[in-house]
Amino acid sequence: MAQCVQSVQEFIQDSFVPMVAVLCSEDAERVTRKNSLSFPELLRPFCRLTSEGHLRDPNNQVVVVKGLRISMTGINTRPPQTPEMHRLLSQAVSVCQPPEGSPANVITAGDYDLNISATTPWFETYRENFLQSMPASEHEFLNHYLACMLVVSSCEAVPTEQFLKLSQEQHRIQHSGEYTHPKWFIPNTLKYYVLLHDISEGDEQRADSVYEDMKQRYGTQGCYLLKINSRSGRTGADEQMPDPWSQYLHKTSIHSPVNVPLVFADGVSETHPLQLDQPTDAGYPCNNANQSVNNVDMTRPQKQASVTSHTTPTPRGTCLTLNDHDHIRQFIQEFTFRGLLPHIEKNIRQLNDQLVSRKGLSRSLFSATKKLFGGGKVPEKSIAELKNTAGLLYPSEAPELQIRKMADLCFLVQHYELAYNCYHTAKKDFLSDQAMLYAAGALEMAAVAAFLQSGAPRPYPAHYMDTAIQTYRDVCKNMLLAERCCLLSAEILKSQTKYSDAATLLIKMTSEDSDLRSALLLEQAAHCFINMRVPMVRKFAFHMILAGHRFSKAGQKRHALRCYCQALQVYKGKGWALAEDHINFTIGRQSFTLRQPDNAVAAFRHILINDSKQSAVQQTAFLREYLYVYKSMSQVTGDGSLPQLPLPCLHSSQTRVFFGHERRLAKGEKQAATHVSLDQEFDRDLSQLWRELEERVVAVVNRGAVPITFQPSQCCLNSQTDNLRYPLAVVEEPIIVEVVFRNPLKVPLALSALCLLWKFTPKDFSDPQGSTAGETITNEKETMALNDIIDTQVIPEFTLSPEETKVARLKLLPHKTGELHVLGVVYNLGTGEVDNSEGSLAEGLMCVRGQQNLEIQGSRLNMTKEEKTSVTYGPDHRLDPIIAPPMPLLEVFFINFPTGLLCGEIRKAWVEFVNVSAVPLTGLRVASTHPEFFTFGSAASDLTPVTPTAAEHCSAYKTVAMPPSVETVSLVSPAAFGVTSGDRPVVAEIPLSQGVLGPGEALQIPLWLRGPDQEGVHEINFLFYYESTEKTAKLSHRVLRHTAFICASRSLSVRATASRSNTLHSRERETEERQEGEEKNGSMLVFVDVENINTSEAGVREFHIVQVSSSSRQWRLHKCINPVGDKDSKLASRERGKLCFKATRCRTEEGGASSTSEKYTFADLNLGSEQIVSSTTPCADFFFRRGLPSEPRRGGVSTGGASQMWRQSGTDDGVTNIVKKCSEVELDIIVLWKAYVVEDNKQLILEGQLHVALQTIGKEACSLSQKEETQEMVLLKFKPDVPPPVSKPSLEQLSHLIKTCLHYPESYDHPFPQKSLCMVPVTLTVSNCSLAQVDVIVDLRHKTTSPESLEVHGSFSWLGQTQYKLQLQAQEVYRLSLKACFFQAGVYNLGTPRVFAKLAQTSAMCETSQQSAMPALIIINSV
């Protein structure tokens, strides 16, 4: 049970108090009415004694009476009416509500933290009123009148006569038999005569004389002179006097005088025995004993006054002073000590003497007499009487009743020991007589008396109470007595912390006959469960729900709501979904009934926002109820602010914002740039790639450095983008906000008039300070009227299917610059079900307008130490754009842009740039992740034909008619094609006429594309950068993105090898100068191996190799050694062709010594009738933009095996560089081809070019990167790498230091019969290929010893010196004359000399053998 203000002893003592009746004359009543009080009301605050009283028991022992309270009420002869009693009890409970700010009892039990009201004053109010309204019963005397106070005014003409009249009236009421009510304790009722004197009006001397006469007549202990009204009501009205009646008299007494019926504002007569007075207070008049109780009961006088019909409280006691208060207090004390207590003591003695005198009779004889003669009992007359009494009725003088009467008297004066003995004795007698009603009453009071005995000589007999309750309820069918017994026992058990027993008892007493009683008892049982040593939280909540249900049935809506709210604390968030829904639904309904629309809306909101497990029908009912409540609330409040709606769920973090126009789709051959759209999924890696591209362009524009204020362009913001800064939008360009809605219900939802809610602060950014140009405005109340500032799109209808997640794209079009904040969405919410015409009508009514806020939490900060150790979140400004001044807007269209290309295929397309804004743009540039894929051509390139239609059937190359012949040579600088410092041009500038593209202007320029070298689908990203002609501080530039996907199919595979020529001069007889030039520059053989690896899927019939070109700073192709006639080489599917070319070093006179290192020499060898000029656009463009394989050589490439590692520091010694340069080539081969394709019964000619980078002599290079070169998984290394060893040239590189060549006749005729020895002169030419001095050793002692070689050619000998030591200067050619001696005719191999070479300045290096590439065969003929 809940805590009570009173202790259990105080509660029981105040429940059973001596009753005193009051009879007043009319004049006396008029004297008290000056204070707006009746006489009993006047005395009520002073009825508790402040000092101890004493009396003696029959054994002459002194009994101390402490804190005795007396109940004084007017006589009411009307019997109590049960319905009226129920109504007044209900009214008393309903007006006693939990006070605001009352002490809350926070209980922590497990996972629960419950905020429960510590006290239940409404229960105490009910209990006190109930106990006081108990009708007087025949079987007990506790609420019978012990005395009667006769009050007469001193202004009466003959006061003694008036006393006589009142005394006769009391005697008539008690003894005439006309009235069954009220009940009197004993026949000889104490009469106490009070003379009431009005000091302000009456004659004090006369009053004193009358009082003296009274003392003579009635004795000094039987009368009293009470002087009141020391001041008139009009004087001193401003003086504040204490009002002790306010806490008692908000209700009338339960007993009112018969002869003074007073009707109050609620129309209920005060004469009614159960009248609870004005229902504005929780306390019951007779039971509010001390100040603390009164304070609790009267905490809300203003609130409660508003419930009743009272408008302003009537001031009471206005004629009384504090002295008058003391007079009344003294009067009560005199009456009690000198009148009432002696009277009770006398009656206890008399009853005791009677009982003792009867003990002389034999108990058994007495019993036998009773059995024979019925013991003087009144015979039972009807079944109704039997049911009411559940046994016999005793006459008033029956000894059993005398024992009970004595027990009650002892109980009233707190002599509990004697009372218990008497109750115990009476109980036995009643049980032996089977008088169950009397027995139950005796059991009940015996248990209470046993509990109240000081020192607790015996334990509390709870079984007495259980038996009494069961007897009252089941045998006697008297629920009032059973309920009183239950209330007493539960309070006693609670005081003994037997909460489980108390709860069981309270629950047993719930029944269907009284909802109010059941509700109150169930609530107290719930408090028992929560107050246990181990709180039973779920039982508390369950019984609170039951109590709330019974309160609701009893019409106590506020108490029902409070019970449900307290129970919700337990069920909330614990997975009890259906129970939680039921509670919230009930709370919503009760709150709405009680005119608490905010609470009602909140409760229904909880039902709807959680993932409900209810059926669709139930959810529909919930939703309709919510809409009805919400609509009613909005009509009542009527204020402009829109409340928050719970449906549908709004996923704020998934909100995306797009700045700019949606992509315009082009028609026909035109293809618009993809840019960014809301339909694209966000890719973090791709976003970083675009950022890097933009940074590159910005760095180029700003001369190599990215500004500190650089902010990457973000057209689409979401939860994964960087939203720490305020995004920038442009005036007159739309802002699209994509909002994600989810319908959690199983019923459809219909949203209408859906639009964004925003606030906007106009600012003028042309002013350096960005001054505010106006006040902040919002569209919360008006939407259409603000369209001239920000045009807000409204979606008329937006339907969400059951449990559907759906996005809505809402548009804003700002017309002014400033700061915009998107706050949320505004819409009308209704149910999506319309069954018939009536349903559609209801649908229109059940549609409410509200809003939901878009509140986005930023990403967690994790940069500093403080941020890492705490959980802090940064701002998210995606919904707070700054509207910047006008900027240019570029649209890009691609014309004839292919989707599929052959590897290396060249295709010409066109690009159209359109400025669709009102601002001119400039500084147009493009950056790409694949700069090798496209080119806009060099500034010097020929741009004919001018239009895309004229270019349909023309070649993409610049061609010149020329028969196949020697190479055509031209020199080109890379700078002409935008290439500097050896890097590929990532950023290209697009030329504009006069550098500006005006508003509405369009520009078409050609674009050459080359298919990627690798087959497959390639993603190629273009970033177009442009600026405004007017520089603004907010937005410096804008970008446009385009992503193209190209499917590359196989075409040709080109492999090339460079071999050093063995001949040192041309075999043709040419001029000596030409010979010397060639010998000095050197020559080389280039073998080109071309294979058609195309699969027939692309429809390619055959490839034609139309031209082979070279590009290098040192070498050039000279001529084709194996020409295939005049026709170009044809390759069908899977065919392979070989071409051999002679390459020579570039001549100095072709470009001059200073320019050869900077310029490239292009040499064209056409195999057909047309020459493609490879040194112009697009061939040279794609050569300079070629892929990575040829790039590493710029920084020194390693061409040896794995045994060779170059030092990273760049301090390679001269030896290594010298040896390396001997084998370096740096020659790029460009193979130009045409392919004949059949497509739709038409033959198309495709053309393209492939690049092969020759870097080292003897090492094969390929146009396709090998699959073996793919990146393999690398093991993680946790130790530092070992530094690379000092680089040394490999054996293969050393073998290229010198070049040897044997000059001899192919056949030699010798007459062996005449001369047996044949001597043939042979010249060995040794050439130093390096730029350093080389020591050479020629050893002639080597002979071929392998049997295989001897089978082919015979053995011979060299004559003369067997070893030569030579020293060759840089690029020196030395001719050594030798003689070979043969002994017989045959074929001989002269390639036996071993040549060793080493660099002169290195002594430790081993000399390396030079092996001839081919056998040098000579035929010796015998003639």
Side-chain angles (χ1 to χ4, degrees), residues 642 644 650 652 655 737-739 741 753-759 778-780 792-793 808 810-812 820-827 849-856 879-880:
L642 292 172
Q644 299 288 324
L650 191 60
S652 296
T655 302
V737 180
E738 182 184 87
V739 185
F741 291 105
L754 173 62
C755 66
L756 289 172
L757 177 67
W758 49 262
K759 68 175 181 180
T778 179
N779 69 330
E780 185 173 359
T792 307
Q793 179 197 7
L810 300 160
K811 189 183 294 184
L812 298 175
L820 176 66
H821 301 277
V822 178
L823 305 176
V825 288
V826 184
Y827 54 91
R849 187 157 186 83
Q851 69 179 37
Q852 280 201 63
N853 290 340
L854 283 167
E855 296 172 348
I856 303 175
L879 293 174
D880 307 322

Side-chain angles (χ1 to χ4, degrees), residues 1055 1264-1272:
R1055 296 173 182 272
L1264 298 174
S1265 59
Q1266 298 300 311
K1267 289 183 180 178
E1268 299 85 57
E1269 296 174 5
T1270 57
Q1271 183 71 31
E1272 295 181 359

Side-chain angles (χ1 to χ4, degrees), residues 1203-1409:
S1203 64
Q1204 172 187 351
M1205 298 176 71
W1206 304 105
R1207 288 185 292 183
Q1208 302 297 317
S1209 61
T1211 58
D1212 297 344
D1213 52 22
V1215 176
T1216 304
N1217 281 332
I1218 291 168
V1219 175
K1220 184 162 65 94
K1221 285 200 179 278
C1222 291
S1223 57
E1224 267 190 3
V1225 178
E1226 289 196 15
L1227 174 64
D1228 286 277
I1229 305 295
I1230 304 171
V1231 177
L1232 295 109
W1233 50 263
K1234 287 187 178 180
Y1236 293 86
V1237 180
V1238 177
E1239 190 176 288
D1240 298 334
N1241 296 324
K1242 292 181 182 178
Q1243 178 168 304
L1244 303 176
I1245 300 176
L1246 309 179
E1247 51 195 351
Q1249 66 189 59
L1250 296 171
H1251 308 130
V1252 182
L1254 284 172
Q1255 299 172 6
T1256 312
I1257 289 176
K1259 184 173 177 66
E1260 185 182 61
C1262 184
S1263 63
L1264 298 174
S1265 59
Q1266 298 300 311
K1267 289 183 180 178
E1268 299 85 57
E1269 296 174 5
T1270 57
Q1271 183 71 31
E1272 295 181 359
M1273 190 180 294
V1274 180
L1275 290 175
L1276 289 174
K1277 295 180 181 179
F1278 295 101
K1279 294 181 179 179
D1281 290 337
V1282 180
V1286 178
S1287 57
K1288 293 183 179 180
S1290 65
L1291 301 180
E1292 182 186 356
Q1293 287 179 319
L1294 290 172
S1295 68
H1296 295 303
L1297 276 175
I1298 61 172
K1299 183 166 70 170
T1300 61
C1301 185
L1302 287 168
H1303 291 266
Y1304 55 90
E1306 290 182 2
S1307 62
Y1308 191 83
D1309 298 335
H1310 180 75
F1312 281 101
Q1314 287 81 12
K1315 288 185 179 180
S1316 57
L1317 294 176
C1318 171
M1319 290 178 288
V1320 179
V1322 177
T1323 303
L1324 175 64
T1325 306
V1326 183
S1327 173
N1328 181 3
C1329 296
S1330 71
L1331 298 174
Q1333 191 175 346
V1334 177
D1335 293 337
V1336 180
I1337 297 178
V1338 180
D1339 188 0
L1340 301 176
R1341 292 174 294 179
H1342 171 67
K1343 292 189 177 177
T1344 306
T1345 55
S1346 61
E1348 292 83 1
S1349 61
L1350 287 174
E1351 288 177 7
V1352 178
H1353 35 70
S1355 177
F1356 69 99
S1357 297
W1358 292 100
L1359 296 181
Q1361 191 174 336
T1362 58
Q1363 193 177 52
Y1364 298 88
K1365 287 188 178 181
L1366 308 173
Q1367 193 171 56
L1368 301 182
Q1369 299 301 320
Q1371 292 191 340
E1372 181 186 350
V1373 179
Y1374 184 83
R1375 291 177 176 82
L1376 182 63
S1377 298
L1378 303 175
K1379 280 193 176 181
C1381 181
F1382 303 94
F1383 307 105
Q1384 58 184 7
V1387 178
Y1388 297 90
N1389 180 14
L1390 295 179
T1392 60
R1394 297 180 66 189
V1395 181
F1396 299 88
K1398 76 178 184 69
L1399 293 173
Q1401 63 264 45
T1402 58
S1403 57
M1405 198 176 297
C1406 297
E1407 295 176 326
T1408 305
S1409 171

Side-chain angles (χ1 to χ4, degrees), residues 1001-1068:
E1001 292 184 4
L1003 172 68
Q1004 279 189 355
I1005 61 172
L1007 170 74
W1008 286 270
L1009 308 171
R1010 178 176 178 269
D1013 289 323
Q1014 294 293 325
E1015 67 169 329
V1017 178
H1018 297 263
E1019 180 179 335
I1020 296 159
N1021 299 310
F1022 297 87
L1023 184 80
F1024 296 95
Y1025 168 102
Y1026 56 98
E1027 302 171 354
S1028 171
T1029 52
E1030 298 178 6
K1031 301 299 180 187
T1032 60
K1034 286 294 175 189
L1035 208 55
S1036 61
H1037 66 274
R1038 301 190 83 176
V1039 296
L1040 177 68
R1041 301 175 183 176
H1042 176 63
T1043 301
F1045 290 92
I1046 297 293
C1047 181
S1049 307
R1050 291 183 182 183
S1051 57
L1052 298 177
S1053 169
V1054 180
R1055 296 173 182 272
T1057 314
S1059 300
R1060 186 162 282 144
S1061 174
N1062 279 333
T1063 56
L1064 289 176
H1065 63 274
S1066 175
R1067 291 187 180 274
E1068 291 84 16

Side-chain angles (χ1 to χ4, degrees), residues 622-644:
F622 285 164
L623 180 59
R624 287 187 177 277
E625 193 97 14
Y626 169 77
L627 294 175
Y628 177 75
V629 170
Y630 182 96
K631 193 156 190 176
S632 303
M633 182 195 75
S634 60
Q635 288 172 354
V636 170
T637 56
D639 54 356
S641 61
L642 292 172
Q644 299 288 324

Side-chain angles (χ1 to χ4, degrees), residues 907-908 933-937 943 956 1006-1010 1177-1178 1182:
R907 189 79 65 88
K908 188 174 184 180
F933 170 71
F934 72 97
T935 178
F936 287 102
L943 294 181
L1007 170 74
W1008 286 270
L1009 308 171
R1010 178 176 178 269
T1177 298
F1182 288 119

